[in-house]
Structure formats: C-alpha cells, structure tokens
Amino acid sequence: MTLDAQRPDHAPSDHPALRHGRTGILLANLGTPDGTDYWSMRRYLSEFLSDKRVIDYPKWKWQPILQGIILTKRPFASGKAYKSIWNEERDESPLMTITRDQTDAIRAALTADYGDQVMVDFCMRYGNPSTASKVREMVAAGCTRILFFPLYPHYAGATSATANDQFFRALMEETWQPTARVVEPYFENPAYIDALAQSVEKAYSETDTPPEMLVVSYHGMPQRYLTQGDPYHCQCQKTTRLLRERLGWDKDRITTTFQSVFGPEEWLRPYTVEEVARLARDEGKTRIAVIAPAFSADCIETLEEINEEIRESFEEAGGESFTYIPCLNDTPDHVAALTAIIRENLGGWVA
C-alpha cells in the first residue's frame, strides 16, 4: 500500500504532488538463482563469486579461473544440488520462499502497529529481487527513511558487509537519498538466543532417545579473514556459549564447527563434515543433532549440505541417528524476535 501523492505544505500551486514521509524497512538475505538450469546457475554464481568481499583475490588472477574453469562445470553440480531442494510448487528456492514468508509476517506485525507509516519488503544481495530495485520502489513510494536489515545474526565481511555495500551503492543512484539506518548484528540478542534454544528443546523432545551431542555448525570463512580483523568467529563462539547457558547444559554436550569450505586456503576449524565423522568414529557418538544458527532461513547450505552431505559423512563413520534442527525460518518466536529488533531500531522515526 502506498500513500497518495500530495503537494508539500506551503508549496506553490503548480508544485508537483509527491509521496513523502514514509519509513521503509528493507530485509536483505544472500540470494538465490532464478532457476536450476545451467545459465541461471552460472549468472548467480558469477555474481556471487565475483564479489571481492567473498573472494578477495586480485581480479586479474581470479576472473580467468572463475569464468574459464569454475563456471564451466560448477553450475551443473550446483544446479543438481538446488534441484534436490527446489520448491517446485512456487518454482523457487526455499530461501526465497522462507524470506518472503518472514517478510509477510513482519509486515503484518508492523502494519498493525504503524499503519501506512511503514513499508516492509525484502531484497537479495545476489540475484532477484535486487537491492537497487527495492530501494527504488521504496523511494518512489515516498520513503524518506529506510531501515536496512541484513538477515545475518553474525557480522562477516562476506555477508553483512557486502549486503551493506550494495545498499549504499543503491542509495548513490538516488537523486534525493532517503535517510538510512542499518541494523547491527543480533548474535547475542536474548530473544534470538531463546528462539534457538526453543528449537533445540522441541527437536530433542521429539526424539525417542536424545542426541548425545549438539553440533552448532556455522558457515565458514578463510582463517586469514579472522586474522585481518573480521569478528565473525568470535561472535559465533559467543552464540554457542549463550545457547548452552540458556539450555543449562555442560560444555561436553555441545560443540562449534564450520562448514562450506571453498578453495585451497585454510578455513575456520573444525570443519563440520570432518567433525561429525570424528565424533562417530573416535568418540562413539552415534546420536547427534546439528543446528545452523548463522542462517536465518533454510537454504542450500542447510537443506542440501547439512542434511545430505554432512549426514552422510556421519553415517558412513558409524553414526546411527542424525537430527537436523531447521533454521528459525518464519516461526512465530523468530518473527517476534526480528520484529522487536526492528521496532527498537525505528526509535524516533515512527510513532
């Protein structure tokens, strides 16, 4: 819904009518290919892997490898992986479906509070709907303020920072820029931690025999980024600690790991795919659960990598019971936590 265009107060009679004075809330997630075919996958992977925040090698060195080698074969493998989890009914990836559902629920809650003062929408860093297109829509609808919310609980250069970069680039294209705020990472937010804990408690209550170990798996990044000052690793460790304390568990019931290793560099360890096998093979842990708190919505890294590849690694090493605990997605407690964070960040902007 948009406000009707009006002539500004005290303006001359021939002044054009304008939409003015609304506040936009723009949620942002990583992105998704438009389809599972080769060219859709290639476009998406090219945009993603060309981002200097994701792969920071010199362009002259990286682009020939990317365009000439990686993007010749990888779209086929990635397309197959996406096809295994694709939402056939809506013809879109689960990430798209879930992000839209989250946005709809948050919009309903905020509209009930603020009415037409706010406009709530979502964008993707890579692919569609693009950040620039949604910023343009909000400005055209009369948003003179935009609250930008990267849906990453933890800050990382390859997630939060690149989403912010794209948002600021979009603002550069606007003649009349809206005032902007960015929501800070919420890795230690009590409502977020409580929502995670409730999801663990629910999953454990539904098993015949509770898992012996909870593996808290975060998306990985090169070890070098940590030494360069990226706070991601420390924030992940704190989330795990706060989750353990909220659950009231001893340290030996929970462990932190990192997944999605890419390229030849050393990444944050331990690697999830190796650690789950070690737990089964060396420690005799035959029942484990895996949760992925760094993802606000289930996606290829959780539905395919964790629930298929990492599960297979565990079972091949002797594991017997593997429980994947879904991301918080559009569950009521997650929506309530995100909405509360938004309300706090709207302070002074809307009544």
Side-chain angles (χ1 to χ4, degrees):
M1 184 182 298
T2 59
L3 296 177
D4 292 335
Q6 296 180 345
R7 182 168 56 84
D9 293 341
H10 311 298
S13 59
D14 61 349
H15 193 289
L18 300 172
R19 292 189 176 94
H20 187 77
R22 303 183 77 196
T23 296
I25 296 100
L26 185 56
L27 311 175
N29 215 321
L30 181 75
T32 170
D34 295 325
T36 60
D37 61 282
Y38 174 84
W39 289 108
S40 293
M41 291 304 312
R42 184 177 177 116
R43 283 193 300 272
Y44 174 73
L45 291 172
S46 180
E47 183 182 9
F48 175 45
L49 296 175
S50 294
D51 187 347
K52 289 281 288 184
R53 291 279 196 179
V54 176
I55 306 291
D56 66 351
Y57 300 151
K59 188 175 181 179
W60 65 266
K61 180 180 181 180
W62 174 240
Q63 282 299 317
I65 297 172
L66 175 63
Q67 301 297 331
I69 301 174
I70 295 173
L71 293 181
T72 299
K73 296 182 178 180
R74 192 174 179 89
F76 291 110
S78 295
K80 182 178 179 181
Y82 267 97
K83 196 172 183 64
S84 72
I85 64 166
W86 202 249
N87 183 339
E88 297 291 349
E89 182 179 351
R90 295 193 186 183
D91 191 24
E92 62 189 21
S93 74
L95 178 67
M96 179 70 77
T97 302
I98 294 165
T99 304
R100 182 187 295 106
D101 291 345
Q102 289 172 330
T103 303
D104 289 345
I106 291 170
R107 181 187 298 113
L110 293 175
T111 301
D113 287 346
Y114 306 119
D116 285 343
Q117 293 184 82
V118 298
M119 176 180 180
V120 183
D121 211 336
F122 74 93
C123 65
M124 297 294 182
R125 169 60 183 90
Y126 313 103
N128 297 304
S130 70
T131 305
S133 70
K134 290 301 177 180
V135 168
R136 179 86 285 277
E137 287 181 17
M138 286 188 164
V139 172
C143 293
T144 52
R145 297 170 297 269
I146 296 179
L147 176 65
F148 187 67
F149 192 173
L151 291 174
Y152 306 109
H154 312 80
Y155 177 93
T159 54
S160 308
T162 189
N164 293 339
D165 290 345
Q166 197 73 344
F167 174 56
F168 297 137
R169 278 191 286 267
L171 293 180
M172 289 171 63
E173 300 300 318
E174 294 301 322
T175 301
W176 187 355
Q177 287 183 328
T179 301
R181 289 179 182 171
V182 175
V183 177
E184 66 180 353
Y186 55 99
F187 64 96
E188 58 185 345
N189 181 278
Y192 160 70
I193 297 297
D194 190 60
L196 287 175
Q198 289 185 53
S199 72
V200 173
E201 291 166 344
K202 179 177 183 295
Y204 273 49
S205 70
E206 293 172 350
T207 61
D208 293 331
T209 305
E212 301 162 281
M213 178 69 72
L214 176 64
V215 177
V216 188
S217 180
Y218 299 88
H219 198 290
M221 71 177 185
Q223 179 74 26
R224 173 170 55 88
Y225 291 10
L226 171 61
T227 61
Q228 290 173 347
D230 194 303
Y232 178 74
H233 178 265
C234 298
Q235 293 181 1
C236 292
Q237 295 288 356
K238 186 166 187 179
T239 292
T240 299
R241 176 175 64 79
L242 293 174
L243 174 60
R244 177 180 63 80
E245 291 173 355
R246 162 60 180 77
L247 291 167
W249 288 2
D250 294 331
K251 292 181 179 180
D252 60 0
R253 294 184 62 186
I254 189 169
T255 188
T256 296
T257 63
F258 299 89
Q259 63 182 87
S260 308
V261 177
F262 177 80
E265 283 193 76
E266 180 76 4
W267 281 42
L268 296 177
R269 286 185 178 270
Y271 299 154
T272 305
V273 69
E274 296 177 355
E275 182 64 9
V276 297
R278 190 194 69 80
L279 288 171
R281 182 184 59 249
D282 299 342
E283 296 195 14
K285 305 291 187 184
T286 60
R287 303 186 311 277
I288 68 169
V290 180
I291 190 171
F295 300 93
S296 62
D298 274 308
C299 54
I300 192 74
E301 286 86 355
T302 62
L303 298 175
E304 195 275 336
E305 185 179 359
I306 291 179
N307 211 22
E308 295 181 23
E309 295 176 27
I310 291 170
R311 175 192 292 270
E312 182 178 334
S313 175
F314 175 68
E315 292 175 347
E316 287 182 350
E320 298 174 2
S321 176
F322 182 99
T323 300
Y324 170 60
I325 302 174
C327 294
L328 296 177
N329 296 328
D330 62 336
T331 55
D333 51 348
H334 189 213
V335 169
L338 296 177
T339 304
I341 292 170
I342 291 170
R343 288 194 184 100
E344 181 179 354
N345 280 269
L346 288 176
W349 272 8
V350 291

PDB file of all heavy atoms in Angstrom, residues 22 35 44 53 66 99 124 137 146 152 169 176 184 206 231 248 290 303 327 338 345:
ATOM      1  N   ARG A  22       7.253   8.405   4.478  1.00  0.00           N
ATOM      2  CA  ARG A  22       7.130   7.029   4.967  1.00  0.00           C
ATOM      3  C   ARG A  22       8.497   6.501   5.397  1.00  0.00           C
ATOM      4  O   ARG A  22       9.549   7.051   5.060  1.00  0.00           O
ATOM      5  CB  ARG A  22       6.557   6.112   3.882  1.00  0.00           C
ATOM      6  CG  ARG A  22       5.214   6.541   3.347  1.00  0.00           C
ATOM      7  CD  ARG A  22       4.696   5.532   2.340  1.00  0.00           C
ATOM      8  NE  ARG A  22       4.158   4.353   2.987  1.00  0.00           N
ATOM      9  CZ  ARG A  22       3.914   3.197   2.355  1.00  0.00           C
ATOM     10  NH1 ARG A  22       4.214   3.077   1.082  1.00  0.00           N
ATOM     11  NH2 ARG A  22       3.389   2.170   3.001  1.00  0.00           N
ATOM     12  N   GLY A  35      16.592 -20.129 -11.309  1.00  0.00           N
ATOM     13  CA  GLY A  35      16.205 -21.490 -11.690  1.00  0.00           C
ATOM     14  C   GLY A  35      17.377 -22.428 -11.482  1.00  0.00           C
ATOM     15  O   GLY A  35      18.477 -22.003 -11.082  1.00  0.00           O
ATOM     16  N   TYR A  44      24.041 -16.535 -11.438  1.00  0.00           N
ATOM     17  CA  TYR A  44      24.043 -16.353  -9.988  1.00  0.00           C
ATOM     18  C   TYR A  44      25.436 -16.570  -9.403  1.00  0.00           C
ATOM     19  O   TYR A  44      25.938 -15.748  -8.621  1.00  0.00           O
ATOM     20  CB  TYR A  44      23.052 -17.318  -9.342  1.00  0.00           C
ATOM     21  CG  TYR A  44      23.099 -17.308  -7.837  1.00  0.00           C
ATOM     22  CD1 TYR A  44      22.581 -16.235  -7.123  1.00  0.00           C
ATOM     23  CD2 TYR A  44      23.682 -18.357  -7.123  1.00  0.00           C
ATOM     24  CE1 TYR A  44      22.645 -16.207  -5.730  1.00  0.00           C
ATOM     25  CE2 TYR A  44      23.749 -18.337  -5.746  1.00  0.00           C
ATOM     26  CZ  TYR A  44      23.231 -17.268  -5.054  1.00  0.00           C
ATOM     27  OH  TYR A  44      23.294 -17.239  -3.685  1.00  0.00           O
ATOM     28  N   ARG A  53      34.214  -9.108  -1.604  1.00  0.00           N
ATOM     29  CA  ARG A  53      34.028  -9.430  -0.190  1.00  0.00           C
ATOM     30  C   ARG A  53      34.006 -10.941   0.039  1.00  0.00           C
ATOM     31  O   ARG A  53      34.297 -11.411   1.138  1.00  0.00           O
ATOM     32  CB  ARG A  53      32.708  -8.842   0.312  1.00  0.00           C
ATOM     33  CG  ARG A  53      32.666  -7.346   0.413  1.00  0.00           C
ATOM     34  CD  ARG A  53      33.321  -6.843   1.674  1.00  0.00           C
ATOM     35  NE  ARG A  53      32.962  -5.457   1.959  1.00  0.00           N
ATOM     36  CZ  ARG A  53      33.374  -4.783   3.015  1.00  0.00           C
ATOM     37  NH1 ARG A  53      34.164  -5.353   3.893  1.00  0.00           N
ATOM     38  NH2 ARG A  53      33.014  -3.522   3.199  1.00  0.00           N
ATOM     39  N   LEU A  66      37.729 -18.205 -12.540  1.00  0.00           N
ATOM     40  CA  LEU A  66      36.283 -18.283 -12.319  1.00  0.00           C
ATOM     41  C   LEU A  66      35.525 -18.491 -13.623  1.00  0.00           C
ATOM     42  O   LEU A  66      34.736 -19.434 -13.762  1.00  0.00           O
ATOM     43  CB  LEU A  66      35.799 -17.011 -11.616  1.00  0.00           C
ATOM     44  CG  LEU A  66      34.282 -16.883 -11.411  1.00  0.00           C
ATOM     45  CD1 LEU A  66      33.774 -17.989 -10.496  1.00  0.00           C
ATOM     46  CD2 LEU A  66      33.937 -15.509 -10.832  1.00  0.00           C
ATOM     47  N   THR A  99      12.128 -16.382   3.011  1.00  0.00           N
ATOM     48  CA  THR A  99      12.355 -14.947   3.203  1.00  0.00           C
ATOM     49  C   THR A  99      11.079 -14.160   2.912  1.00  0.00           C
ATOM     50  O   THR A  99      10.756 -13.203   3.624  1.00  0.00           O
ATOM     51  CB  THR A  99      13.504 -14.445   2.314  1.00  0.00           C
ATOM     52  OG1 THR A  99      14.681 -15.217   2.575  1.00  0.00           O
ATOM     53  CG2 THR A  99      13.802 -12.982   2.586  1.00  0.00           C
ATOM     54  N   MET A 124      17.560  -9.281  -2.185  1.00  0.00           N
ATOM     55  CA  MET A 124      18.657 -10.243  -2.157  1.00  0.00           C
ATOM     56  C   MET A 124      19.954  -9.555  -2.587  1.00  0.00           C
ATOM     57  O   MET A 124      19.944  -8.718  -3.487  1.00  0.00           O
ATOM     58  CB  MET A 124      18.365 -11.427  -3.084  1.00  0.00           C
ATOM     59  CG  MET A 124      17.144 -12.235  -2.692  1.00  0.00           C
ATOM     60  SD  MET A 124      17.378 -13.099  -1.108  1.00  0.00           S
ATOM     61  CE  MET A 124      15.802 -13.986  -0.986  1.00  0.00           C
ATOM     62  N   GLU A 137      11.931   1.264  -5.442  1.00  0.00           N
ATOM     63  CA  GLU A 137      10.495   1.151  -5.160  1.00  0.00           C
ATOM     64  C   GLU A 137      10.130   1.907  -3.886  1.00  0.00           C
ATOM     65  O   GLU A 137       9.090   2.568  -3.827  1.00  0.00           O
ATOM     66  CB  GLU A 137      10.086  -0.316  -5.035  1.00  0.00           C
ATOM     67  CG  GLU A 137      10.040  -1.069  -6.351  1.00  0.00           C
ATOM     68  CD  GLU A 137       9.609  -2.516  -6.177  1.00  0.00           C
ATOM     69  OE1 GLU A 137       9.049  -2.840  -5.093  1.00  0.00           O
ATOM     70  OE2 GLU A 137       9.833  -3.330  -7.086  1.00  0.00           O
ATOM     71  N   ILE A 146      14.954   4.782   5.348  1.00  0.00           N
ATOM     72  CA  ILE A 146      14.991   3.327   5.131  1.00  0.00           C
ATOM     73  C   ILE A 146      15.835   2.682   6.222  1.00  0.00           C
ATOM     74  O   ILE A 146      16.982   3.080   6.461  1.00  0.00           O
ATOM     75  CB  ILE A 146      15.568   2.949   3.755  1.00  0.00           C
ATOM     76  CG1 ILE A 146      14.661   3.466   2.626  1.00  0.00           C
ATOM     77  CG2 ILE A 146      15.710   1.425   3.635  1.00  0.00           C
ATOM     78  CD1 ILE A 146      15.180   3.145   1.228  1.00  0.00           C
ATOM     79  N   TYR A 152      21.495 -11.546   8.848  1.00  0.00           N
ATOM     80  CA  TYR A 152      22.617 -12.362   9.323  1.00  0.00           C
ATOM     81  C   TYR A 152      22.824 -12.046  10.793  1.00  0.00           C
ATOM     82  O   TYR A 152      23.184 -10.910  11.140  1.00  0.00           O
ATOM     83  CB  TYR A 152      23.894 -12.022   8.554  1.00  0.00           C
ATOM     84  CG  TYR A 152      23.770 -12.103   7.055  1.00  0.00           C
ATOM     85  CD1 TYR A 152      23.784 -10.942   6.286  1.00  0.00           C
ATOM     86  CD2 TYR A 152      23.635 -13.326   6.406  1.00  0.00           C
ATOM     87  CE1 TYR A 152      23.680 -11.007   4.910  1.00  0.00           C
ATOM     88  CE2 TYR A 152      23.519 -13.398   5.033  1.00  0.00           C
ATOM     89  CZ  TYR A 152      23.541 -12.231   4.281  1.00  0.00           C
ATOM     90  OH  TYR A 152      23.431 -12.283   2.922  1.00  0.00           O
ATOM     91  N   ARG A 169      25.413   1.417  -2.385  1.00  0.00           N
ATOM     92  CA  ARG A 169      25.534   1.668  -3.822  1.00  0.00           C
ATOM     93  C   ARG A 169      24.188   2.047  -4.428  1.00  0.00           C
ATOM     94  O   ARG A 169      24.101   2.906  -5.311  1.00  0.00           O
ATOM     95  CB  ARG A 169      26.114   0.442  -4.535  1.00  0.00           C
ATOM     96  CG  ARG A 169      27.629   0.335  -4.476  1.00  0.00           C
ATOM     97  CD  ARG A 169      28.155  -0.719  -5.411  1.00  0.00           C
ATOM     98  NE  ARG A 169      27.903  -2.063  -4.929  1.00  0.00           N
ATOM     99  CZ  ARG A 169      28.780  -2.763  -4.193  1.00  0.00           C
ATOM    100  NH1 ARG A 169      29.957  -2.246  -3.882  1.00  0.00           N
ATOM    101  NH2 ARG A 169      28.491  -3.984  -3.793  1.00  0.00           N
ATOM    102  N   TRP A 176      17.372  12.094  -4.613  1.00  0.00           N
ATOM    103  CA  TRP A 176      17.010  12.510  -3.255  1.00  0.00           C
ATOM    104  C   TRP A 176      17.150  11.289  -2.361  1.00  0.00           C
ATOM    105  O   TRP A 176      16.266  10.447  -2.300  1.00  0.00           O
ATOM    106  CB  TRP A 176      15.573  13.045  -3.241  1.00  0.00           C
ATOM    107  CG  TRP A 176      15.165  13.657  -1.929  1.00  0.00           C
ATOM    108  CD1 TRP A 176      15.869  13.698  -0.769  1.00  0.00           C
ATOM    109  CD2 TRP A 176      13.922  14.302  -1.653  1.00  0.00           C
ATOM    110  NE1 TRP A 176      15.158  14.322   0.223  1.00  0.00           N
ATOM    111  CE2 TRP A 176      13.956  14.717  -0.295  1.00  0.00           C
ATOM    112  CE3 TRP A 176      12.786  14.586  -2.415  1.00  0.00           C
ATOM    113  CZ2 TRP A 176      12.886  15.374   0.315  1.00  0.00           C
ATOM    114  CZ3 TRP A 176      11.734  15.241  -1.815  1.00  0.00           C
ATOM    115  CH2 TRP A 176      11.781  15.638  -0.460  1.00  0.00           C
ATOM    116  N   GLU A 184      22.313  -3.552  13.409  1.00  0.00           N
ATOM    117  CA  GLU A 184      23.563  -4.226  13.761  1.00  0.00           C
ATOM    118  C   GLU A 184      23.323  -5.723  13.959  1.00  0.00           C
ATOM    119  O   GLU A 184      22.178  -6.168  14.121  1.00  0.00           O
ATOM    120  CB  GLU A 184      24.145  -3.616  15.045  1.00  0.00           C
ATOM    121  CG  GLU A 184      23.309  -3.845  16.285  1.00  0.00           C
ATOM    122  CD  GLU A 184      23.936  -3.211  17.519  1.00  0.00           C
ATOM    123  OE1 GLU A 184      25.075  -2.715  17.417  1.00  0.00           O
ATOM    124  OE2 GLU A 184      23.296  -3.226  18.577  1.00  0.00           O
ATOM    125  N   GLU A 206      11.159 -34.486  20.528  1.00  0.00           N
ATOM    126  CA  GLU A 206      10.505 -35.306  19.507  1.00  0.00           C
ATOM    127  C   GLU A 206      11.312 -36.555  19.156  1.00  0.00           C
ATOM    128  O   GLU A 206      10.888 -37.339  18.301  1.00  0.00           O
ATOM    129  CB  GLU A 206      10.266 -34.471  18.243  1.00  0.00           C
ATOM    130  CG  GLU A 206       9.236 -33.348  18.460  1.00  0.00           C
ATOM    131  CD  GLU A 206       9.134 -32.408  17.274  1.00  0.00           C
ATOM    132  OE1 GLU A 206       9.993 -32.511  16.361  1.00  0.00           O
ATOM    133  OE2 GLU A 206       8.216 -31.577  17.264  1.00  0.00           O
ATOM    134  N   PRO A 231      35.172 -10.072  12.882  1.00  0.00           N
ATOM    135  CA  PRO A 231      34.742 -10.564  14.196  1.00  0.00           C
ATOM    136  C   PRO A 231      33.863 -11.811  14.152  1.00  0.00           C
ATOM    137  O   PRO A 231      33.390 -12.276  15.189  1.00  0.00           O
ATOM    138  CB  PRO A 231      33.937  -9.381  14.740  1.00  0.00           C
ATOM    139  CG  PRO A 231      33.292  -8.798  13.517  1.00  0.00           C
ATOM    140  CD  PRO A 231      34.332  -8.934  12.426  1.00  0.00           C
ATOM    141  N   GLY A 248      21.127 -24.646  29.776  1.00  0.00           N
ATOM    142  CA  GLY A 248      21.558 -25.184  31.060  1.00  0.00           C
ATOM    143  C   GLY A 248      22.398 -26.438  30.926  1.00  0.00           C
ATOM    144  O   GLY A 248      22.352 -27.321  31.795  1.00  0.00           O
ATOM    145  N   VAL A 290      22.308 -31.443  14.667  1.00  0.00           N
ATOM    146  CA  VAL A 290      23.042 -30.335  14.055  1.00  0.00           C
ATOM    147  C   VAL A 290      22.099 -29.155  13.888  1.00  0.00           C
ATOM    148  O   VAL A 290      20.974 -29.316  13.408  1.00  0.00           O
ATOM    149  CB  VAL A 290      23.640 -30.723  12.695  1.00  0.00           C
ATOM    150  CG1 VAL A 290      24.396 -29.534  12.092  1.00  0.00           C
ATOM    151  CG2 VAL A 290      24.569 -31.926  12.833  1.00  0.00           C
ATOM    152  N   LEU A 303      19.789 -27.403   3.863  1.00  0.00           N
ATOM    153  CA  LEU A 303      18.935 -28.486   3.378  1.00  0.00           C
ATOM    154  C   LEU A 303      19.692 -29.512   2.554  1.00  0.00           C
ATOM    155  O   LEU A 303      19.364 -30.705   2.589  1.00  0.00           O
ATOM    156  CB  LEU A 303      17.783 -27.907   2.551  1.00  0.00           C
ATOM    157  CG  LEU A 303      16.838 -26.965   3.306  1.00  0.00           C
ATOM    158  CD1 LEU A 303      15.815 -26.371   2.348  1.00  0.00           C
ATOM    159  CD2 LEU A 303      16.147 -27.700   4.447  1.00  0.00           C
ATOM    160  N   CYS A 327      16.434 -24.226  10.550  1.00  0.00           N
ATOM    161  CA  CYS A 327      16.643 -22.819  10.893  1.00  0.00           C
ATOM    162  C   CYS A 327      15.363 -22.247  11.490  1.00  0.00           C
ATOM    163  O   CYS A 327      14.287 -22.846  11.395  1.00  0.00           O
ATOM    164  CB  CYS A 327      17.040 -22.034   9.654  1.00  0.00           C
ATOM    165  SG  CYS A 327      18.646 -22.499   8.973  1.00  0.00           S
ATOM    166  N   LEU A 338      12.733 -10.811  15.414  1.00  0.00           N
ATOM    167  CA  LEU A 338      13.131  -9.892  14.348  1.00  0.00           C
ATOM    168  C   LEU A 338      12.302  -8.611  14.397  1.00  0.00           C
ATOM    169  O   LEU A 338      12.827  -7.503  14.210  1.00  0.00           O
ATOM    170  CB  LEU A 338      12.979 -10.563  12.984  1.00  0.00           C
ATOM    171  CG  LEU A 338      13.872 -11.781  12.722  1.00  0.00           C
ATOM    172  CD1 LEU A 338      13.565 -12.380  11.358  1.00  0.00           C
ATOM    173  CD2 LEU A 338      15.353 -11.419  12.825  1.00  0.00           C
ATOM    174  N   ASN A 345      15.018  -0.362  16.445  1.00  0.00           N
ATOM    175  CA  ASN A 345      15.797   0.447  15.511  1.00  0.00           C
ATOM    176  C   ASN A 345      14.973   1.548  14.829  1.00  0.00           C
ATOM    177  O   ASN A 345      15.555   2.417  14.192  1.00  0.00           O
ATOM    178  CB  ASN A 345      16.430  -0.454  14.455  1.00  0.00           C
ATOM    179  CG  ASN A 345      17.688  -1.149  14.952  1.00  0.00           C
ATOM    180  OD1 ASN A 345      18.791  -0.626  14.804  1.00  0.00           O
ATOM    181  ND2 ASN A 345      17.515  -2.309  15.571  1.00  0.00           N
TER     182      ASN A 345
END
